[in-house]
Amino acid sequence: MLSSLTINKNKRIEIYSDMKTSSPALKYLLEKDVQVSKHFVVAVSNLKFFKSLRIHSRFLEISCDGIAWFASWIAFIWLLSSKSLYQMQVNMLFGLILDVVVVAVLKALVRRRRPVASRDMLTIGPDKFSFPSGHASRAFFVLLFFAKLYPLHIVFLLPVTAWAVSVAISRLILQRHYVLDICAGAVIGVLEALVIGLLWVSEETAFSIVGFVTEETVDSME
């Protein structure tokens, strides 16, 4: 098992060349990130709690997948046509779109390779680039959205918090990302929530958007 967790020196060289950096400081940071990530996976592999989390890591991966979120959220808007939810639904949808765009652009620019290429045909994705973690950004955006922008009761917020943190840790356990990828993703998710908060779509505008998309007349005055 330990051999499958080992990240060799050639892999580190590939990471640096992919990112096309000649900065000694950045190379040092990336090397330390690889080492810390590897040691984390090895250290937690024998802990009971993380063994349990590893079992559910594939479910956590799918639960925060971009395609799964878009499909389920659009279905949520379509099936649960409630005027009291339109504003929340539209703002969340815009946040998910923002997240995909930001992460895609950063991955295309940075081009850092993942620790281990996925060979699981049943896994949705992932793409070949690692920085930043889209799962982490999406998870923490959702967490901040329901914590600050559309506050849920603490009874519901606690499971969302546990889910977001578990998703982030599971990305390391599955060797989809390095520690730096996860941290950057979490920060990006928080910033995305702040942006959506500043650009918060009004209730009337949300009614109009839902009415346009569903081709139904939504009376905002009701």
Side-chain angles (χ1 to χ4, degrees):
M1 179 177 180
L2 291 179
S3 61
S4 66
L5 300 176
T6 302
I7 302 173
N8 57 41
K9 293 182 180 179
N10 292 332
K11 189 66 176 178
R12 297 179 194 177
I13 295 173
E14 181 184 0
I15 292 170
Y16 304 147
S17 62
D18 284 341
M19 295 183 68
K20 299 180 180 179
T21 177
S22 59
S23 168
L26 182 55
K27 286 184 177 181
Y28 176 80
L29 176 62
L30 294 176
E31 183 175 358
K32 288 301 179 183
D33 186 32
V34 170
Q35 292 174 355
V36 170
S37 301
K38 181 181 68 175
H39 291 326
F40 173 84
V41 175
V42 173
V44 305
S45 61
N46 294 319
L47 298 180
K48 185 175 181 181
F49 170 78
F50 289 101
K51 281 185 177 180
S52 175
L53 183 60
R54 183 177 182 84
I55 295 173
H56 301 290
S57 289
R58 295 302 174 87
F59 168 75
L60 289 168
E61 181 172 52
I62 295 173
S63 74
C64 200
D65 179 78
I67 296 175
W69 262 93
F70 271 114
S72 61
W73 200 258
I74 291 173
F76 175 49
I77 296 174
W78 190 275
L79 297 175
L80 192 59
S81 184
S82 173
K83 295 182 178 67
S84 64
L85 296 176
Y86 285 161
Q87 188 178 24
M88 180 272 290
Q89 292 171 328
V90 169
N91 281 286
M92 171 62 82
L93 183 60
F94 285 167
L96 294 174
I97 294 173
L98 174 64
D99 177 68
V100 168
V101 172
V102 170
V103 171
V105 169
L106 288 175
K107 284 189 175 184
L109 291 174
V110 178
R111 302 177 67 83
R112 186 186 196 187
R113 294 281 181 173
R114 293 182 182 274
V116 176
S118 176
R119 296 182 176 85
D120 187 356
M121 298 300 293
L122 298 178
T123 300
I124 302 176
D127 58 81
K128 61 184 179 181
F129 297 128
S130 177
F131 184 93
S133 168
H135 278 68
S137 66
R138 193 170 303 112
F140 277 82
F141 164 72
V142 171
L143 174 59
L144 264 291
F145 185 93
F146 287 121
K148 298 297 183 181
L149 304 182
Y150 190 83
L152 295 178
H153 190 278
I154 188 66
V155 172
F156 302 104
L157 185 59
L158 286 177
V160 175
T161 303
W163 167 78
V165 174
S166 296
V167 165
I169 295 175
S170 72
R171 305 309 288 162
L172 287 170
I173 293 176
L174 288 175
Q175 292 183 275
R176 298 285 195 254
H177 292 282
Y178 300 101
V179 171
L180 189 60
D181 305 335
I182 303 298
C183 294
V187 171
I188 289 169
V190 172
L191 294 177
E192 289 168 347
L194 294 177
V195 170
I196 293 299
L198 292 173
L199 304 177
W200 190 256
V201 174
S202 67
E203 188 173 41
E204 184 176 356
T205 303
F207 286 168
S208 300
I209 293 172
V210 173
F212 176 78
V213 172
T214 61
E215 297 182 347
E216 294 179 358
T217 300
V218 180
D219 185 0
S220 62
M221 299 303 293
E222 288 186 5

